[in-house]
């Protein structure tokens, strides 16, 4: 049998070698990268540097570019969420609406509010509607309330253009039912009165793709605070209509830890029927990662505490 253990050469004894014999007899390993540092301080330091290097490497790569996941596409969540401190401006503004002040600010995700069937009805509706949009850039929207729809690099009104034939009573019925369930969930999660909450503008379907941006509206990947963009918002909800990784790549939703100095993303991977809900103040800055393949469908359903900013559910009457 071949013995595959390599025998190391014993070092040649030199004339002026005064080291003691017992050390000599031990198998000495010749360092591959030159002599080992003899000085203890230097040794400790070099080990420290090495350990820190390994830790930084592991942290950087395992933490995947400083990300933590709030919701994975392939996991079904009853509820998963985080509390964050409300931004003082948000509290100052919302406290004028008793019954609507959250017990705590934060973000929640749930896969148990909207069924896959409901999400499918809304997805088919969105696909039928978007087929009329012919957009130039990567973002298209349909707003059932106002009739706004993306068209090339602008918007048009599909009610006025007599294009509302793509809307069916089932679509509107499903849309309203889903809105009601999401509204109750928001009230539940944030500990507020469901009747103090009103649907507000804009509430819209979106389709995002990897098409080059043509207008500012196409640039959905910028960090923003919803309340800064839409003053009437108090609670933002998102309903995802198709699946991250299966129907499209990229397009994850990211909360960031700090608007001015973002160092960490908290990710929500879209999943059909998944609802994400969060307080719309500066405690929840966020953006959508660029879609790299496919088309991502979602609905932004927005709520306000200000009855004056309320919008109604669309009906066949308003939509024809
Ligand atoms: O589609 C999403 O996931 C989020 C979109 C968004 O940030 C918004 O509508 O304000
Ligand atoms: Fe947003």
């Amino acid at each position: 049998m071949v013995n595959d253990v390599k025998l190391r050469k014993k070092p040649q004894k030199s004339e002026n070698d005064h080291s003691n014999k017992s050390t000599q007899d031990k198998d000495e390993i010749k360092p591959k990268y030159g002599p080992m540092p003899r000085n203890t301080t230097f040794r400790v330091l070099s080990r420290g540097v090495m350990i820190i290097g390994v830790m930084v490497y592991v942290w950087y790569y395992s933490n995947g570019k400083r990300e933590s996941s709030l919701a994975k596409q392939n996991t079904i969540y009853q509820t998963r969420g985080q509390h964050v401190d409300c931004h003082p401006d948000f509290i100052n503004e919302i406290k004028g609406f008793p019954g609507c002040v959250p017990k705590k600010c934060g973000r929640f995700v749930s896969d148990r509010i909207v069924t896959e069937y409901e999400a499918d009805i809304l997805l088919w509706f969105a696909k039928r509607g978007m087929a009329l949009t012919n957009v130039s850039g990567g973002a298209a929207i349909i707003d059932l309330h106002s009739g706004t729809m993306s068209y090339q690099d602008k918007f048009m009104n599909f009610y006025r253009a007599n294009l509302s034939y793509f809307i069916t009573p089932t679509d509107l019925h499903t849309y309203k039912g889903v809105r009601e369930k999401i509204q109750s969930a928001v009230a539940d999660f944030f500990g507020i009165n469901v009747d103090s909450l009103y649907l507000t503008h804009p509430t819209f379907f979106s389709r995002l793709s990897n098409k080059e941006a043509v207008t500012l509206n196409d640039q959905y990947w910028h960090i923003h605070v919803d309340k800064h963009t839409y003053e009437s918002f108090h609670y933002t909800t998102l309903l995802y209509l198709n699946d991250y990784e299966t129907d499209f790549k990229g397009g994850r939703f990211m909360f960031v830890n700090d608007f001015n100095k973002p160092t960490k993303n908290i990710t929500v991977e879209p999943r059909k029927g998944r609802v994400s809900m969060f307080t719309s103040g500066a405690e929840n800055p966020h953006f959508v990662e660029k879609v790299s393949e496919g088309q991502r469908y979602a609905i932004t359903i927005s709520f306000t505490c200000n009855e004056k900013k309320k919008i109604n559910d669309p009906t066949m009457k308003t939509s024809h």
Side-chain angles (χ1 to χ4, degrees), residues 146-166:
S146 63
T148 304
M149 179 191 268
S150 307
Y151 191 74
Q152 293 172 348
D153 59 350
K154 301 192 177 57
F155 296 103
M156 60 114 158
N157 190 296
F158 57 81
Y159 294 138
R160 272 184 245 134
N162 282 323
L163 284 174
S164 55
Y165 54 80
F166 69 95

Side-chain angles (χ1 to χ4, degrees), residues 90-315:
F90 182 75
I91 283 292
N92 268 340
E93 202 254 351
I94 206 170
K95 71 180 184 206
F97 305 98
C100 207
V101 181
K103 293 255 178 324
K104 282 181 176 164
C105 285
R107 58 282 297 229
F108 291 95
V109 168
S110 175
D111 295 309
R112 298 288 196 206
I113 301 168
V114 174
T115 66
E116 214 177 306
Y117 180 63
E118 288 168 321
D120 266 333
I121 290 177
L122 297 173
L123 175 66
W124 298 328
F125 162 78
K127 287 190 172 177
R128 278 198 315 278
M130 299 286 182
L132 306 170
T133 60
N134 183 28
V135 286
S136 334
I141 65 117
I142 291 181
D143 176 345
L144 263 176
H145 304 268
S146 63
T148 304
M149 179 191 268
S150 307
Y151 191 74
Q152 293 172 348
D153 59 350
K154 301 192 177 57
F155 296 103
M156 60 114 158
N157 190 296
F158 57 81
Y159 294 138
R160 272 184 245 134
N162 282 323
L163 284 174
S164 55
Y165 54 80
F166 69 95
I167 308 165
T168 70
T170 306
D171 297 331
L172 295 178
H173 178 76
T174 309
Y175 187 75
K176 181 168 186 276
V178 159
R179 190 274 297 161
E180 284 168 346
K181 287 200 284 183
I182 294 177
Q183 182 166 343
S184 300
V186 170
D188 249 28
F189 288 128
F190 292 100
I192 61 173
N193 182 349
V194 70
D195 301 319
S196 308
L197 209 52
Y198 310 95
L199 192 64
T200 195
H201 172 80
T203 282
F204 58 93
F205 289 76
S206 65
R207 183 189 68 192
L208 305 180
S209 74
N210 66 356
K211 262 189 166 181
E212 192 81 31
V214 175
T215 68
L216 266 181
N217 292 312
D218 294 324
Q219 298 180 17
Y220 51 82
W221 49 86
H222 296 298
I223 299 179
H224 64 277
V225 166
D226 285 350
K227 190 132 194 54
H228 297 169
T229 319
Y230 312 111
E231 196 260 323
S232 66
F233 280 35
H234 288 113
Y235 296 91
T236 306
T237 75
L238 297 156
L239 166 60
Y240 294 108
L241 301 179
N242 64 353
D243 291 301
Y244 168 68
E245 288 287 10
T246 312
D247 299 311
F248 59 90
K249 298 212 180 344
R252 290 176 301 165
F253 177 99
M254 315 268 199
F255 289 107
V256 296
N257 60 333
D258 188 322
F259 183 88
N260 295 313
K261 263 197 237 145
T263 52
K264 188 169 185 182
N265 297 333
I266 296 106
T267 64
V268 176
E269 297 176 358
R271 176 187 168 89
K272 186 186 295 233
R274 171 166 291 166
V275 177
S276 163
M277 298 158 266
F278 52 93
T279 44
S280 312
E283 62 282 344
N284 275 319
H286 60 271
F287 71 101
V288 177
E289 171 187 58
K290 280 187 185 176
V291 170
S292 55
E293 253 179 59
Q295 294 183 317
R296 173 198 197 264
Y297 286 88
I299 319 180
T300 299
I301 303 176
S302 332
F303 295 98
T304 184
C305 303
N306 185 352
E307 195 173 358
K308 291 192 187 117
K309 302 284 178 174
K310 168 187 170 174
I311 59 167
N312 293 316
D313 291 310
T315 63

Side-chain angles (χ1 to χ4, degrees), residues 49-76:
V49 168
M50 221 168 81
I51 290 167
I52 291 171
V54 170
M55 277 165 68
V56 167
Y57 181 89
V58 169
W59 165 78
Y60 188 81
Y61 285 98
S62 68
N63 208 351
K65 300 149 227 133
R66 303 279 288 129
E67 278 177 15
S68 72
S69 172
L70 185 60
K72 289 269 178 209
Q73 190 282 332
N74 58 7
T75 309
I76 299 170

